[in-house]
Structure formats: structure tokens, C-alpha cells
Amino acid sequence: DKASPQEVGTSVKITPEVSGGTGNLQYKYWIWFDGKWTIVQDFSSSRSYEWTPTQAGNYKIWVDVKDGMGTMKSKEMSYVVTEAALNLSQI
């Protein structure tokens, strides 16, 4: 729901647009950071995943979508997270 880049601590809702398939769809979400992939949500019927990055850097977001017949499609997206901006509102 938010385009890259975003600041550390910003919540990002990841929701793939899917068409077709047979039966109930299952979604699995992965995040790549610092040279490794981590499953952040294993296959479930939950279409969206809410991600809040805690470190600045270059990420990859990967989603697998599987239909009731076991047919699977995958999509990868790059995402940049920046340090939070310094705010000085009052003295």
C-alpha cells in the first residue's frame, strides 16, 4: 500500500493482485535482507501481509500464491527502506 522508499518503522501492507486459479488461494510471503531469505508468513488464506521494517537497506519481497489444484505463481519486488528523518519540532 506504500511505494518504495519508506522510512524504518513504517508499516507496509503487501497485497498481491491475483486473478484466476481454482479453489481457495493460499499465500506465502518472504522477505530478503542482508543476504538471506526469511519466511514471514507461511501458506495461509490471508491475502495480505503487514510488514514493518526495523532496519534501513535494500529488501526484496517475494510472494507465492497457490490455488486449490496446487498450481503456484510467484512474484518478486525490490523495496528500499531509509533511516527515519530527524524531526525537531520544539525547544
Side-chain angles (χ1 to χ4, degrees), residues 13-87:
K13 187 174 184 179
I14 305 163
T15 307
E17 292 183 22
V18 180
S19 62
T22 304
N24 295 331
L25 300 178
Q26 297 283 306
Y27 303 84
K28 182 176 185 176
Y29 294 91
W30 305 70
I31 301 289
W32 179 89
F33 180 70
D34 201 21
K36 70 177 185 175
W37 286 100
T38 302
I39 297 171
V40 292
Q41 177 183 295
D42 209 341
F43 280 112
S44 100
S45 59
S46 180
R47 183 172 171 229
S48 296
Y49 174 73
E50 196 86 23
W51 172 54
T52 305
T54 58
Q55 296 180 51
N58 295 314
Y59 289 80
K60 292 180 185 175
I61 300 166
W62 181 282
V63 62
D64 294 318
V65 181
K66 180 171 61 172
D67 72 8
M69 298 297 290
T71 302
M72 190 165 68
K73 297 289 182 183
S74 302
K75 182 78 176 181
E76 178 184 311
M77 174 181 134
S78 295
Y79 207 89
V80 176
V81 177
T82 60
E83 292 292 341
L86 178 62
N87 291 313

